[in-house]
């Protein structure tokens, strides 16, 4: 007699293909057991979309902070290399993260479930493998804001207090773990890991695996490695174009933080620009401005060149022809980005179709902005469709250049421009001072500001007078914003 199959009541139906198919790409090990796991925030809406039973998840806090594991989980720490601020580290890897496994959603899509802040691994080097509550709530906030803004991103399922404190520069802080969901955790740095070790069979296996997981229509086709590269370029060009449209600054675009799925990954020192200034940098360690706002499209090309190099040993034919084929592709990335970015900007500006002077129209707007708040300028431009500039004007110290630009823009508007613009330009983004206020309160045990902010930023396009406090930039006494990573 065979027992009838009963799916787990949580809905977490594990099928751990990375572990099965890619030996050598990870280490098997368990997360640390949290002494007193307590869920701080559980993403019930996301759980529902993924076919998970939120009540069962809520009843099992140990799953999200180590200690106990859901049935079918087989935790591993992933190996990867990466260029960090341009310098190559042959071995990085998950130094404080455990991939519990992959589960299949109701539509058959495959999701990684990973814990971050869950303890040391052989990849930890000097780190403690832990995380403080603030940075994990920060990842939750920003990734959920990005999802609501329509940007491909890893998602946050839960943040769980471990019941253990961690030591940071700021002193003793509550320890926590974020449980995140991703289409995969395969990075440019994963390819670099095998390429630099000359492990060509493993590199090939990783490539075939990645194609099957992210571009299954390419499986078994001739020339699939280059076709896969093209897909990655396309996803990343569109992703960075979306970031630029929102004023999002990732802050640490190392090759180990660029996912082949095209999702935004690794919310460390990221933040949203307020006043438009192309050189904006928030991260305390980015002293040269390598990952400044306006450099992100250049880093896109730089990182993809590192991926291209990693693929060389897999490509058939003469080495010179391979290099030529890759160089042609690398040479077109800037143009691909610009096209994707123009699409984003046309939607933001409510333009009708596409015209050849749109690039100049956008460039001239940026020149006229002169430090005006990025988010509110676009949002309030929607008011200006019908000639009402009263809400826009106060954002500018000098409105003369805008005054000259507006008629050119109006000549290009789509019939329903204002509505289109209010759907493309958020009113509320995670404002830096609001994020800090919420995280400070959470450190003191008060989660009300966190939940209030979360409700606002996961509903970014709605108008409402009640939202003013969340829509405005930081008051001047907030000062220059500085962010930190790896905390
Ligand atoms: P990130 O800057 O978050 O992309 O991390 C870069 C590398 O540092 C990764 O290999 C992380 O696993 C590792 N790392 C960051 N913070 C810690 C920590 N507290 N303990 C151990 N490893 C860490
Ligand atoms: Mg990382």
């Amino acid at each position: 007699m065979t027992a009838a199959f009963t799916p787990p009541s949580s809905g977490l139906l594990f099928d751990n293909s990375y572990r099965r198919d890619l030996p050598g790409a990870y280490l098997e090990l368990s997360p640390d057991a949290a002494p007193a796991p307590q869920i701080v925030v559980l993403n019930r809406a996301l759980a529902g979309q993924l076919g998970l039973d939120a009540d069962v998840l809520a009843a099992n806090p140990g799953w999200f902070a180590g200690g106990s594991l859901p049935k079918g989980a087989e935790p591993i720490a992933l190996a990867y290399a990466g260029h960090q601020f341009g310098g190559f580290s042959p071995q990085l890897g998950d130094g404080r993260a455990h991939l519990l496994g992959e589960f299949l959603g109701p539509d058959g899509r495959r999701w990684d479930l990973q814990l971050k802040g869950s303890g040391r691994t052989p990849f930890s080097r000097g780190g403690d493998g832990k995380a403080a509550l603030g940075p994990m709530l920060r990842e939750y906030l920003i990734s959920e804001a990005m999802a609501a803004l329509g940007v491909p991103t890893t998602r946050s399922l839960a943040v769980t207090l471990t019941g253990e404190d961690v030591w940071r520069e700021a002193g003793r802080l509550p320890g926590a773990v974020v449980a995140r969901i991703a289409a995969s955790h395969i990075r440019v740095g994963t390819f670099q890991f095998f390429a630099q070790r000359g492990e060509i069979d493993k590199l090939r296996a990783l490539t075939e695996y990645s194609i099957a997981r992210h571009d299954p229509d390419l499986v078994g086709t001739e020339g699939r490695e280059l076709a896969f590269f093209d897909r990655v370029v396309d996803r990343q060009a569109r992703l960075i174009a979306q970031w630029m449209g929102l004023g999002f600054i990732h802050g640490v675009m190392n090759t180990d933080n660029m996912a082949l799925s095209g999702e935004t990954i690794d919310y460390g020192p990221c933040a949203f620009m307020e006043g438009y200034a192309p050189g904006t940098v928030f991260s305390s360690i980015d002293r040269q401005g390598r990952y400044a706002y306006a450099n992100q499209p250049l880093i896109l090309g730089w990182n993809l060149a590192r991926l291209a190099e990693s693929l060389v040993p897999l490509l058939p034919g003469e080495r010179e022809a391979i290099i030529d084929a890759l160089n042609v592709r690398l040479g077109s990335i800037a143009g691909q980005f610009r096209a994707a970015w123009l699409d984003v900007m046309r939607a933001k500006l409510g333009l009708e179709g596409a015209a050849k002077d749109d690039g100049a129209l956008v460039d001239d707007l940026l020149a006229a902005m002169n430090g005006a708040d990025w988010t509110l300028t676009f949002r309030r431009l929607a008011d200006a469709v019908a000639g009402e500039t009263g809400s826009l004007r106060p954002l500018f110290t000098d409105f003369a250049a805008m005054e000259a630009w507006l008629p050119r823009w109006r000549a290009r508007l789509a019939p329903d421009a204002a509505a289109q613009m209010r759907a493309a330009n958020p009113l509320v983004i995670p404002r830096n001072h609001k994020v800090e206020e919420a995280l400070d309160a959470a450190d003191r045990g008060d989660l009300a500001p966190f939940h209030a902010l979360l409700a606002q930023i996961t509903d970014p396009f709605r108008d409402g007078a009640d939202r003013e406090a969340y829509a405005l930039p930081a008051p001047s006494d907030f000062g220059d914003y500085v962010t930190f990573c790896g905390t």
Side-chain angles (χ1 to χ4, degrees):
M1 204 175 89
T2 52
F5 172 72
T6 359
S9 59
S10 63
L12 280 168
L13 195 60
F14 281 102
D15 176 58
N16 305 326
S17 66
Y18 200 88
R19 178 181 169 120
R20 190 164 60 232
D21 295 351
L22 298 174
Y26 58 83
L27 295 170
E28 299 177 24
L29 77 178
S30 295
D32 286 356
Q38 189 194 329
I39 294 177
V40 177
V41 52
L42 176 66
N43 196 337
R44 288 180 170 267
L46 177 63
Q49 287 162 31
L50 296 171
L52 308 179
D53 185 326
D55 291 330
V56 176
L57 302 185
N60 289 280
W63 292 356
F64 301 112
S68 62
L69 291 174
K71 194 169 181 305
E74 298 175 300
I76 55 178
L78 306 187
Y80 49 84
H83 277 89
Q84 300 181 298
F85 291 92
F88 187 62
S89 294
Q91 188 176 295
L92 290 168
D94 289 336
R96 56 164 171 173
H98 295 79
L99 179 66
L100 295 187
E102 301 144 30
F103 65 93
L104 301 174
D107 54 0
R109 283 174 75 183
R110 180 177 293 274
W111 299 106
D112 275 8
L113 172 57
Q114 193 207 49
L115 304 184
K116 177 167 162 185
S118 44
R120 299 196 77 236
T121 78
F123 301 117
S124 299
R125 288 158 296 152
D128 64 356
K130 306 285 182 178
L133 177 64
M136 298 303 97
L137 288 178
R138 195 168 196 284
E139 166 147 352
Y140 193 110
L141 278 175
I142 313 277
S143 64
E144 290 310 299
M146 292 291 266
L149 290 164
V151 183
T153 175
T154 63
R155 300 291 303 269
S156 295
L157 183 59
V159 171
T160 306
L161 280 164
T162 60
E164 214 170 45
D165 288 339
V166 298
W167 289 93
R168 293 292 182 265
E169 225 169 279
R172 201 182 161 110
L173 296 167
V177 173
V178 64
R180 75 178 175 197
I181 306 291
S184 87
H185 284 84
I186 303 167
R187 311 138 191 273
V188 171
T190 317
F191 283 74
Q192 292 181 286
F193 180 79
F194 292 116
Q196 53 95 20
R197 291 159 71 106
E199 296 183 344
I200 306 308
D201 290 347
K202 287 180 182 160
L203 183 64
R204 190 171 299 284
L206 174 67
T207 307
E208 295 293 344
Y209 177 91
S210 303
I211 290 172
R213 189 150 174 189
H214 294 301
D215 296 286
D217 59 306
L218 298 179
V219 168
T221 59
E222 208 172 306
R224 58 188 171 280
E225 297 87 354
L226 278 180
F228 177 60
F229 180 74
D230 292 340
R231 296 282 179 89
V232 175
V233 171
D234 180 57
R235 286 194 279 269
Q236 281 293 334
R238 284 187 289 116
L239 179 67
I240 310 303
Q242 281 190 280
W243 291 1
M244 298 301 283
L246 291 165
F248 177 77
I249 302 170
H250 183 282
V252 60
M253 282 178 78
N254 294 333
T255 57
D256 54 302
N257 291 336
M258 185 176 265
L260 273 73
S261 63
E263 289 181 338
T264 311
I265 188 170
D266 237 323
Y267 291 88
C270 61
F272 288 80
M273 176 171 69
E274 297 213 307
Y276 171 61
T280 304
V281 173
F282 293 114
S283 170
S284 63
I285 59 170
D286 191 2
R287 292 193 191 86
Q288 316 284 320
R290 180 181 173 88
Y291 301 137
Y293 173 73
N295 264 1
Q296 296 183 121
L298 299 175
I299 297 296
L300 160 80
W302 196 92
N303 286 352
L304 291 170
R306 306 290 81 75
L307 178 62
E309 285 164 5
S310 303
L311 292 175
V312 169
L314 296 184
L315 300 175
E318 298 279 329
R319 198 180 156 82
E320 222 158 286
I322 294 170
I323 307 282
D324 284 349
L326 288 172
N327 271 330
V328 167
R329 285 171 161 78
L330 294 174
S332 70
I333 290 174
Q336 278 174 264
F337 167 77
R338 175 100 180 157
W341 179 78
L342 271 177
D343 283 345
V344 167
M345 298 308 288
R346 284 188 185 105
K348 286 178 78 67
L349 290 174
L351 304 189
E352 166 95 285
K356 90 172 175 351
D357 292 337
D358 289 346
L361 185 69
V362 178
D363 291 339
D364 293 346
L365 168 64
L366 299 189
M369 278 182 72
N370 206 1
D373 186 80
W374 180 264
T375 305
L376 289 181
T377 294
F378 287 97
R379 183 74 183 189
R380 293 184 182 172
L381 262 173
D383 301 340
V385 165
E388 180 48 66
T389 55
S391 65
L392 190 61
R393 204 175 280 269
L395 300 174
F396 291 78
T397 42
D398 175 3
F399 201 62
M402 278 300 284
E403 202 91 73
W405 179 85
L406 288 169
R408 288 170 57 202
W409 165 64
R410 286 205 188 94
R412 283 283 295 111
L413 288 178
D416 57 347
Q420 190 185 313
M421 291 175 73
R422 290 193 184 99
N425 296 297
L427 174 62
V428 179
I429 54 156
R431 293 282 177 179
N432 302 325
H433 64 298
K434 286 300 201 183
V435 171
E436 290 308 309
E437 181 186 291
L439 301 185
D440 283 349
D443 272 343
R444 298 191 307 269
D446 175 12
L447 283 154
F450 169 84
H451 285 292
L453 178 58
L454 183 63
Q456 291 287 344
I457 63 183
T458 51
D459 183 16
F461 298 106
R462 184 173 57 83
D463 257 324
D466 60 306
R467 324 192 71 195
E468 191 81 333
Y470 292 91
L472 296 178
S476 58
D477 64 5
F478 183 65
D480 286 338
Y481 190 47
V482 179
T483 58
F484 303 89
C485 54
T487 48

